[in-house]
């Protein structure tokens, strides 16, 4: 097989272009630690419409090829490639794929970009390869690719427990976010291994609870080690009209929540020289939610 599709195959859907949305952690509590060293968490994931873009082209020769490698990331490490190979192996399909990635989500920012790329790859190839896998089948593959991958396959805003794999759907009010991107790369492993990190936050129960009552246990550790993160967060917290301001994940990105787009964009217009950011709308569902049946 040379990878060239027959006319019949080419007439079918042989290409897909799909978004890979970012996420925000509206709060993140560290409530304990397992014997294997993994931390036990509670968090609320909010999907937003700021996204990477992935393009997939069907191949008939079984080859999986990434045409847009990320600097510093080998093809074997790339989450899109790993997701495609994992699904190919577990499904037994003979199809392959050409992958093109347009990166917009900052790396190392706590926005889940790489995890979202992996989840979009699973969902898109489920359709492109006509596998017909259900969501729970794809969810079983997700943890092997990363702790944040399951929520993107899950396909909606979620209250998460365990190491992030226990997900419950949660309804969140409409919201717009001003997200700032400090020019630093935070080491997640370093933050979680810090002696200053508290690991005994009292678990909250769902329902009822309010995201505004939560906090990010990683935030003090990151702000102490990365003054730029602290400076960006301090600026957000002085904004009028913001419902909340916090760091997402293990940073470095920080965000403020607003009830309307106009308020979020007005705040973006006031961002001081040297700070960068963007406005994103909160989503209720992943754009590819219908790519897997329940």
């Amino acid at each position: 097989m040379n990878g060239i599709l027959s006319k019949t195959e080419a007439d079918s859907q042989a290409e897909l272009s799909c978004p890979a949305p970012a996420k925000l952690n509206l709060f993140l509590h560290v409530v304990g630690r397992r014997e294997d060293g993994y931390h036990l968490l509670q968090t609320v994931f909010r999907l937003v419409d700021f996204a990477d873009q992935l393009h997939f082209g069907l191949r008939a020769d079984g080859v999986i090829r990434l045409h847009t490698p990320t600097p510093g990331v080998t093809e074997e490490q790339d989450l899109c490639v790993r997701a495609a190979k994992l699904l190919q192996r577990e499904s037994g399909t003979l199809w392959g794929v050409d992958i093109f990635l347009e990166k917009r989500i900052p790396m190392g920012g706590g926005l889940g970009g790489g995890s979202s790329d992996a989840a979009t790859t699973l969902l898109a190839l489920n359709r492109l390869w006509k596998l017909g896998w259900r969501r729970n089948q794809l969810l079983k593959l997700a943890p092997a690719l990363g702790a944040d991958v399951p929520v993107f396959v899950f396909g909606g805003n979620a209250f998460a427990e365990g190491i992030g794999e226990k997900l419950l759907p949660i309804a969140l009010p409409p919201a717009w976010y001003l997200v700032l991107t400090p020019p630093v790369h935070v080491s997640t492993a370093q933050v979680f291994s810090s002696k200053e990190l508290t690991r005994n936050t009292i678990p909250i129960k769902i329902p009822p609870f309010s995201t505004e009552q939560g906090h990010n246990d990683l935030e003090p550790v990151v702000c102490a080690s990365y003054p730029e993160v602290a400076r960006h967060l301090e600026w957000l917290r002085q904004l009028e009209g913001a419902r909340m301001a916090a760091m997402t994940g293990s940073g470095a990105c920080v965000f403020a929540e607003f009830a309307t787009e106009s308020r979020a964009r007005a705040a973006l217009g006031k961002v001081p020289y040297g700070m960068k950011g963007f406005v994103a709308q909160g989503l209720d569902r992943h754009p590819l939610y219908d790519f897997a049946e329940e």
Side-chain angles (χ1 to χ4, degrees), residues 158-188:
F159 176 80
E161 293 187 283
I163 59 173
E165 85 289 4
K166 299 176 182 177
L167 300 166
L168 289 172
I170 184 171
L172 296 172
W176 290 79
Y177 299 91
L178 170 59
V179 182
L180 298 183
T181 57
V184 295
H185 187 112
V186 175
S187 168
T188 300

Side-chain angles (χ1 to χ4, degrees), residues 3 12 24 27 45 65 78 86 95 100 102 104 131 151 161 166 168 170 198 207 209 264 271 281:
S12 65
L24 298 172
F27 68 81
F45 288 109
R65 181 165 296 160
D78 187 273
L86 179 61
W95 293 109
F100 299 84
E102 294 179 40
R104 294 183 68 207
L131 301 179
V151 71
E161 293 187 283
K166 299 176 182 177
L168 289 172
I170 184 171
T198 59
F209 79 96
V271 170
Q281 184 178 17

Side-chain angles (χ1 to χ4, degrees), residues 232-251:
H232 282 65
L233 189 55
E234 182 180 1
W235 184 84
L236 285 177
R237 286 186 169 148
Q238 56 80 40
L239 288 172
E240 293 185 7
R243 296 196 292 211
M244 63 176 292
M247 185 181 77
T248 179
S250 59

Side-chain angles (χ1 to χ4, degrees), residues 15 29 37 109 115 119 130 137 141 143 175 178-179 188-189 196 205-206 236 244 264 268 278 294:
E15 295 183 356
H29 296 170
S115 296
K130 295 181 171 58
Q137 291 176 279
L141 301 185
L178 170 59
V179 182
T188 300
E196 284 71 39
K205 295 182 179 180
I206 178 173
L236 285 177
M244 63 176 292
L268 177 62
F278 58 87
E294 296 304 318

Side-chain angles (χ1 to χ4, degrees), residues 23 25 28 108-110 186-188 191-192 216 218 222 247-252:
K23 59 83 176 170
N25 296 90
L28 198 163
V186 175
S187 168
T188 300
V191 173
F192 273 106
N216 187 332
L218 307 183
V222 173
M247 185 181 77
T248 179
S250 59

Side-chain angles (χ1 to χ4, degrees), residues 103-142:
K103 201 74 184 134
R104 294 183 68 207
I105 301 172
M107 295 178 64
L111 298 174
S115 296
S116 186
D117 294 341
T120 284
T121 299
L122 291 176
L123 291 162
L125 294 185
N126 186 45
R127 172 162 292 192
L128 191 68
W129 289 343
K130 295 181 171 58
L131 301 179
W133 276 35
R134 296 187 177 275
R135 193 175 316 280
N136 63 348
Q137 291 176 279
L138 294 173
L139 276 170
K140 290 178 181 177
L141 301 185

Side-chain angles (χ1 to χ4, degrees), residues 49 173-179 240-241 243 256-270 278-282:
D49 66 355
W176 290 79
Y177 299 91
L178 170 59
V179 182
E240 293 185 7
R243 296 196 292 211
E257 181 181 286
F258 296 88
T260 64
E261 179 182 9
S262 60
R263 288 183 177 179
R265 295 206 178 278
L268 177 62
K270 298 176 183 176
F278 58 87
V279 168
Q281 184 178 17

